Amino acid sequence: MRALCWEGADALAVRQVPDPELRNAHDMIVRVRRSATCGADLPLVEGRLPLLAAGDVLGHEFLGEVAEVGPEVRGHRVGDRVVVSAAVAGGSCWYCRQGLHSCCDNSGTAPAVTESAWGQPTGGCYGHPRAAGGFAGSHAEYVRVPYADVGAFTVPDPVSDDRAVFASDAAPAGWMGAELGEVRPGDVVAVWGAGAVGQLTAQAARLLGADRVIVIDRHPERLRMAERHTGAETLNFELTDVPAELRERSGGRGPDVCVEAAGGAADGAGPPSLAARFTGRRGPAEDPLAVREAVHACRKGGTVFVSGTFTGFVDTFPLGAVMNKGLTLRSARQHGQRWIPMLLDRMARDELRTEHLATHRLPLEQAPAGYALFRDRTDGCVRAVFTPDG
Ligand SMILES: [Zn+2]
């Protein structure tokens, strides 16, 4: 089959690779119909995480049709249209039973790496370094789906492929930021980043009853899209003193909930944060620019939720502000299995609309160009979505 392979730093190629095969009784094989780019891929593509091997297949946000099922798969049949959580989870360990599927004890196939880096092993993810499970990615004609009854969900008929593909990763990540950030009716919520996760956080915050939602970015077309599709207010951080403006829009206190949805993709072209003013540093990989600003802007006693992807160590982190302002700081990789059925229901009822985020639909052969569009945000690209089945 054909697949998008990582060939080295900033080198991607669509190549012929072996077809995936069933490896155990709970596996199934999915023929991929949609597979989307994600900001979490960029450090991998750039080779900033020295954990990929040449030939690894990228991609983790996907939807497709069941092509083959293992003998123990109960909930799926050949031909079913399914969306699959980007997080691989076994479903039976203590963490999975708490709904913390991305923390699964059993789905990481190289636990020594995450255990040594983070203290405990975490769960797997498609298309990620061997450290996160080594499961081949979805930018391919076919993908092996382990724990099929846990991670794959049948898509209701009325929901289009272009809408449902976001239930794999961006929509649960967005929902998680709002729900675990403890958005309550009447809250003012600020979201850093107007990419797919940021926009879906804004939609989730509104569905959870937030009074005002303010999305912060510097790309005018993304901000316009967020206004049009999420009903959020927006701020361009290149033109605005963000913490001052957020105080102004929240009764002088600051937002109740601040969600960071930029991660390693956050860039430092805006006004320097307070910490950057002290240190003169801004913008290298894993500099938590937006996290810092969220911590500074958040009202005392509020919650900061970090949705953006970080993998290593960050410095210039304002722990003093977290402590002295009484903030709650939370974060997670998305626990898709916990929210996908609810999100698909909302998609079927038209409460949650996501298809506008698929700004560029491309055949798999053009995936390397799709990543360049996505990385540079060329032509208003929010997500490039590949269609391996033509
Ligand atoms: Zn588990």
Side-chain angles (χ1 to χ4, degrees):
M1 68 167 184
R2 292 162 307 129
L4 178 69
C5 298
W6 186 81
E7 302 284 299
D10 279 320
L12 299 174
V14 176
R15 288 206 289 116
Q16 202 68 26
V17 301
D19 286 351
E21 292 175 352
L22 298 175
R23 286 194 204 163
N24 70 55
H26 296 277
D27 287 358
M28 66 186 188
I29 304 294
V30 168
R31 188 168 71 89
V32 179
R33 284 165 55 152
R34 296 285 186 278
S35 185
T37 58
C38 174
D41 293 331
L42 295 178
L44 301 178
V45 172
E46 290 163 15
R48 282 198 264 132
L49 301 176
L51 295 164
L52 282 185
D56 279 357
V57 179
L58 292 166
H60 58 266
E61 182 164 49
F62 66 102
L63 170 147
E65 205 174 286
V66 176
E68 196 179 347
V69 294
E72 296 293 323
V73 173
R74 298 283 173 258
H76 301 288
R77 294 198 173 155
V78 170
D80 284 358
R81 190 168 62 118
V82 294
V83 66
V84 179
S85 175
V88 179
S92 58
C93 75
W94 188 89
Y95 292 97
C96 285
R97 293 200 305 275
Q98 313 302 311
L100 302 173
H101 292 86
S102 70
C103 301
C104 178
D105 259 345
N106 296 328
S107 63
T109 56
V113 177
T114 49
E115 189 167 2
S116 64
W118 301 325
Q120 290 169 341
T122 57
C125 181
Y126 296 93
H128 266 61
R130 281 141 213 273
F135 296 106
S138 58
H139 296 334
E141 290 180 89
Y142 295 90
V143 61
R144 179 175 76 95
V145 173
Y147 312 110
D149 285 329
V150 179
F153 300 87
T154 299
V155 178
D157 283 341
V159 184
S160 70
D161 287 359
D162 287 327
R163 180 175 291 189
V165 66
F166 293 101
S168 170
D169 193 33
W175 191 272
M176 177 175 70
E179 183 178 310
L180 300 190
E182 299 189 340
V183 171
R184 296 190 179 91
D187 275 357
V188 177
V189 178
V191 180
W192 276 258
V197 174
Q199 292 194 37
L200 289 165
T201 306
Q203 288 197 46
R206 290 180 63 82
L207 289 165
L208 289 169
D211 189 30
R212 298 183 82 162
V213 180
I214 303 150
V215 175
I216 300 144
D217 203 299
R218 72 186 180 101
H219 298 282
E221 68 285 352
R222 287 187 172 202
L223 292 171
R224 277 196 300 275
M225 184 189 275
E227 286 172 10
R228 192 163 62 245
H229 293 279
T230 75
E233 307 165 40
T234 59
L235 289 177
N236 185 326
F237 70 75
E238 286 190 319
L239 310 174
T240 317
D241 178 342
V242 170
E245 188 59 31
L246 290 175
R247 273 195 304 280
E248 191 67 29
R249 298 187 190 190
S250 56
R253 286 192 299 275
D256 302 287
V257 178
C258 293
V259 180
E260 189 274 352
D267 49 31
S273 69
L274 186 59
R277 282 183 209 121
F278 284 138
T279 63
R281 296 181 49 173
R282 50 154 76 184
E286 302 240 311
D287 183 352
L289 282 163
V291 182
R292 260 197 321 254
E293 190 162 77
V295 166
H296 280 280
C298 192
R299 75 154 164 82
K300 291 176 280 186
T303 300
V304 173
F305 192 93
V306 179
S307 290
T309 300
F310 292 93
T311 53
F313 298 87
V314 299
D315 57 10
T316 68
F317 179 78
L319 185 57
V322 173
M323 196 272 159
N324 288 284
K325 290 168 65 174
L327 301 182
T328 299
L329 179 66
R330 297 193 72 172
S331 187
R333 278 158 46 192
Q334 60 93 1
H335 309 299
Q337 286 81 343
R338 174 169 167 183
W339 292 297
I340 289 171
M342 174 272 293
L343 293 166
L344 288 172
D345 276 355
R346 289 183 188 270
M347 287 175 172
R349 291 201 302 269
D350 236 18
E351 288 174 21
L352 189 62
R353 289 186 287 269
T354 55
E355 55 276 16
H356 64 281
L357 299 165
T359 50
H360 294 72
R361 197 188 307 148
L362 303 165
L364 184 64
E365 277 62 31
Q366 292 174 27
Y371 266 94
L373 280 173
F374 174 63
R375 181 195 61 211
D376 301 334
R377 299 164 168 90
T378 310
D379 187 28
C381 185
V382 173
R383 278 280 205 265
V385 178
F386 308 127
T387 54
D389 67 343

